[in-house]
Amino acid sequence: MIEELDVLIRARYPLLCINTHEEMRALRIVTALASTQRHKDKGLYTWSRVRGLARIDGKRPQAIGDQSEDTLAVLELIDNKFESGIFVLFDYHRGLEQDHMVIRRLRELAHSIKSQPKNVIFVSPQFPIPPELEKEVKFIDLPLPSAKDIEVMLDDSLVGLEENPDVSLSVDDRTKEGLVQALLGLTETEIENALAKAVITSRGLGPDSIQLILDEKKDAIRQSGSLTYVHPEPLSSYGGYARHRELIQELALTFTPQAQVYGIEPAKGILAVGLPGVGKDLLKRVTSSIMGKALIDLDMAAVMGEGGGIIGSGAMAIRRALSIAETLSCVLGLSEFEKAVGGLASSNRTDGGETARTLGHLLNWMQDRKGGVFLFATANDVRDLAGEQIREGRFTKIIFVDLPDKQDRAHIFAVHLSKRSRDPERFDLAALAEASEGFSGAEIENAVKGGLLRAFRDDAREVTTDDILAKINSTRPLSEVKREQIEELRNWAKTHLALDGNEASNTTTSAARRLEL
């Protein structure tokens, strides 16, 4: 990041912004840059509403008077009193919210210092940009600590702990790697807190500390508001749809070191389109298991709700969420994709373009991202989305998940019976599959549950095929309740998506289960 910041300062970007909770880490980076030969004569200054303006590149911070704690006054000082300097302003966004004069003065300052060796750097957990300043402020992303950064922090902690006789250390190379991976996705402060908690809880650091840190990380991610850890599911829990399983295993290969050396780019992701209840979310959890990556769900409603409607808050929230996802190199889940990106068209009329800016950042990230994040988005119906929202390059594959055919249904029944400690071979799977035509995976699971309950109510006897058939016969599946809408979606998929040859079928109830855009 020092290199990027150096280029921007040399290019005379007058107003820069680092959105981060890691205030001291950001200041250390700026301080390191200001101490280089190229910038050390400019002077480094910090400002907050509490302490005012002070020069900090000497042995002691040197306070500067003239009521510099005022948001407008400090801009006047920067513009008129100093010939050069790098000025770091903390939590300055409050001035934007409270006084529109500040916005006007910032625009004037940006033009005034453009040709001078002065740069203003805002550091804040959020810096909502009013439309008037969109072209004046350049954002810089402060990435979360990398594995290498965390390893350095861990080494420093271990050196300090070695001097404590009350602490037990059992950290070999394998444990160290596990600790580093467990700490990925946390801020510097959160890493320090997690390590301290693990040391206190276990009276030291060792293999058992990894799970403690993972639990702490889950809490920290949850507190971000828009991200949630989701437990993966083993491949054995996904019944039917053999081509889906094969596809995920194929895409997982693109993340292997051998594939990288060979020149294969990691897969970007999948958009799974299909009817409710056919197992799209289950496939997402199975994908996490197959790829050996953590699964984190992104809640776009929470993203848009952060900041209470403050302009720019949604864009900052999505930046933070995607930064965490990139650091974790995870499977990023995005449910109801059509609802998440469907508000672009009306955004300018309803919220001044806030939604459009936020979703625009997400779509650009989907197109341009590199590295280990695999996006798994699900949607019930994408017919109303614009072509550019689902175009090639944002997803590696777009698949259509239809209702399971007879063979798939038999396999799904077997999976759900096995999950409930029943031997599938004791049941007439062919009869169950025949009777459940038009059922989704969720409805098949419900039939198994209903059969178990029927047998339990009948003196807790062992469940039979007839019990499950009784539940099937008393259920009206969604494919009958919404027959017209489902047929329309299927016909659209056949028309707009290319059918995979070996899965073609002449019947609508067993239409292709994998359709690629």
Side-chain angles (χ1 to χ4, degrees):
M1 179 179 172
I2 291 180
E3 293 79 6
E4 179 186 6
L5 191 59
D6 176 57
V7 169
L8 293 175
I9 288 178
R10 290 163 59 193
R12 299 289 176 86
Y13 279 73
L15 306 181
L16 306 171
C17 181
I18 304 174
N19 277 136
T20 181
H21 286 275
E22 299 185 271
E23 189 174 275
M24 290 299 101
R25 181 171 169 231
L27 182 58
R28 285 202 306 273
I29 291 172
V30 177
T31 301
L33 176 66
S35 64
T36 60
Q37 188 67 33
R38 182 179 286 117
H39 302 290
K40 68 178 183 179
D41 294 331
K42 292 181 179 179
L44 177 61
Y45 304 83
T46 61
W47 176 91
S48 72
R49 190 184 291 267
V50 173
R51 298 184 181 274
L53 190 65
R55 182 162 183 165
I56 65 167
D57 53 352
K59 292 184 178 180
R60 292 183 180 180
Q62 181 181 352
I64 298 170
D66 299 322
Q67 298 179 334
S68 62
E69 71 277 0
D70 180 80
T71 50
L72 273 174
V74 69
L75 300 185
E76 294 292 340
L77 285 172
I78 293 172
D79 196 5
N80 299 314
K81 184 170 182 177
F82 299 94
E83 295 183 357
S84 64
I86 298 174
F87 302 87
V88 181
L89 278 53
F90 295 111
D91 293 334
Y92 196 83
H93 64 283
R94 296 300 181 188
L96 301 179
E97 298 169 11
Q98 298 168 5
D99 191 347
H100 290 290
M101 289 284 290
V102 174
I103 298 175
R104 178 67 254 173
R105 189 65 184 90
L106 275 173
R107 295 193 71 187
E108 293 177 355
L109 178 66
H111 296 303
S112 174
I113 67 176
K114 175 71 176 176
S115 58
Q116 303 177 48
K118 301 179 190 177
N119 303 86
V120 175
I121 302 175
F122 304 104
V123 176
S124 171
Q126 61 175 9
F127 193 87
I129 293 294
E132 298 94 327
L133 292 175
E134 281 185 351
K135 305 301 182 182
E136 313 295 344
V137 179
K138 173 67 176 179
F139 278 92
I140 309 170
D141 290 323
L142 178 62
L144 290 166
S146 65
K148 185 178 294 186
D149 296 330
I150 294 173
E151 188 173 349
V152 172
M153 293 180 65
L154 181 58
D155 286 340
D156 290 343
S157 296
L158 291 173
V159 170
L161 292 171
E162 286 175 353
E163 302 174 359
N164 189 335
D166 298 325
V167 171
S168 173
L169 297 179
S170 179
V171 183
D172 56 17
D173 289 344
R174 184 175 180 180
T175 300
K176 184 177 179 180
E177 182 180 353
L179 289 169
V180 170
Q181 291 300 314
L183 291 164
L184 278 172
L186 298 179
T187 65
E188 191 175 86
T189 300
E190 289 169 339
I191 290 170
E192 293 170 349
N193 291 341
L195 285 173
K197 183 176 179 180
V199 169
I200 292 171
T201 303
S202 305
R203 293 183 176 274
L205 279 178
D208 294 341
S209 304
I210 295 175
Q211 187 57 51
L212 291 171
I213 291 173
L214 284 173
D215 292 339
E216 189 72 9
K217 180 164 74 171
K218 290 177 182 179
D219 290 339
I221 298 297
R222 191 179 301 115
Q223 290 172 8
S224 70
S226 56
L227 294 174
T228 306
Y229 262 101
V230 180
H231 292 292
E233 291 281 353
L235 179 60
S236 59
S237 67
Y238 190 66
Y241 302 105
R243 284 295 295 138
H244 289 164
R245 299 196 299 274
E246 292 172 10
L247 174 63
I248 298 301
Q249 289 171 324
E250 177 183 309
L251 296 180
L253 289 175
T254 68
F255 290 94
T256 62
Q258 297 89 336
Q260 305 298 304
V261 171
Y262 194 76
I264 295 175
E265 294 184 2
K268 287 192 172 182
I270 279 180
L271 172 59
V273 183
L275 313 174
V278 293
K280 300 187 296 294
D281 284 326
L282 176 58
L283 180 59
K284 175 179 64 178
R285 297 196 295 274
V286 168
T287 297
S288 169
S289 179
I290 292 174
M291 292 189 168
K293 292 175 175 285
L295 173 58
I296 297 182
D297 269 350
L298 173 63
D299 184 348
M300 284 301 296
V303 167
M304 297 310 303
E306 287 191 35
I310 298 173
I311 293 176
S313 58
M316 288 182 292
I318 196 68
R319 282 173 180 267
R320 287 197 299 270
L322 297 178
S323 176
I324 292 172
E326 288 179 337
T327 303
L328 293 175
S329 187
C330 63
V331 173
L332 182 64
L334 180 54
S335 299
E336 298 186 319
F337 181 74
E338 73 276 34
K339 295 180 180 179
V341 304
L344 283 169
S346 60
S347 172
N348 286 326
R349 297 191 300 271
T350 58
D351 62 6
E354 174 69 3
T355 299
R357 284 189 291 272
T358 303
L359 298 181
H361 184 83
L362 172 63
L363 292 173
N364 288 336
W365 174 84
M366 289 168 58
Q367 181 72 34
D368 300 331
R369 75 185 186 279
K370 296 179 181 179
V373 180
F374 184 86
L375 178 65
F376 196 113
T378 63
N380 293 331
D381 191 346
V382 296
R383 287 176 290 177
D384 293 332
L385 292 183
E388 64 268 17
Q389 294 170 342
I390 55 174
R391 68 167 182 248
E392 183 177 352
R394 292 198 164 123
F395 295 100
T396 303
K397 297 284 184 182
I398 298 181
I399 62 174
F400 182 70
V401 188
D402 202 351
L403 293 170
D405 66 10
K406 185 176 179 179
Q407 183 178 353
D408 290 334
R409 294 197 298 274
H411 190 198
I412 295 171
F413 272 112
V415 167
H416 287 298
L417 287 167
S418 296
K419 286 176 67 174
R420 290 158 180 83
S421 302
R422 266 53 178 198
D423 183 1
E425 293 185 2
R426 293 183 54 254
F427 297 82
D428 189 344
L429 298 179
L432 293 174
E434 185 71 33
S436 60
E437 182 173 359
F439 274 50
S440 67
E443 290 164 337
I444 290 173
E445 181 181 15
N446 192 52
V448 173
K449 290 179 178 178
L452 283 166
L453 180 59
R454 185 174 188 263
F456 178 76
R457 293 180 63 184
D458 188 11
D459 202 23
R461 58 175 174 78
E462 186 51 53
V463 63
T464 66
T465 299
D466 288 340
D467 293 316
I468 301 175
L469 285 172
K471 179 61 178 178
I472 291 172
N473 294 330
S474 66
T475 301
R476 188 183 179 197
L478 185 65
S479 61
E480 292 183 10
V481 175
K482 296 189 175 183
R483 184 186 303 274
E484 292 184 1
Q485 297 95 312
I486 290 174
E487 290 302 323
E488 286 179 4
L489 179 58
R490 281 177 170 159
N491 291 332
W492 178 88
K494 291 179 183 179
T495 303
H496 292 78
L497 304 178
L499 188 63
D500 206 11
N502 64 348
E503 294 180 343
S505 172
N506 293 325
T507 62
T508 54
T509 56
S510 59
R513 294 173 303 285
R514 185 169 71 86
L515 299 161
E516 299 179 5
L517 193 63

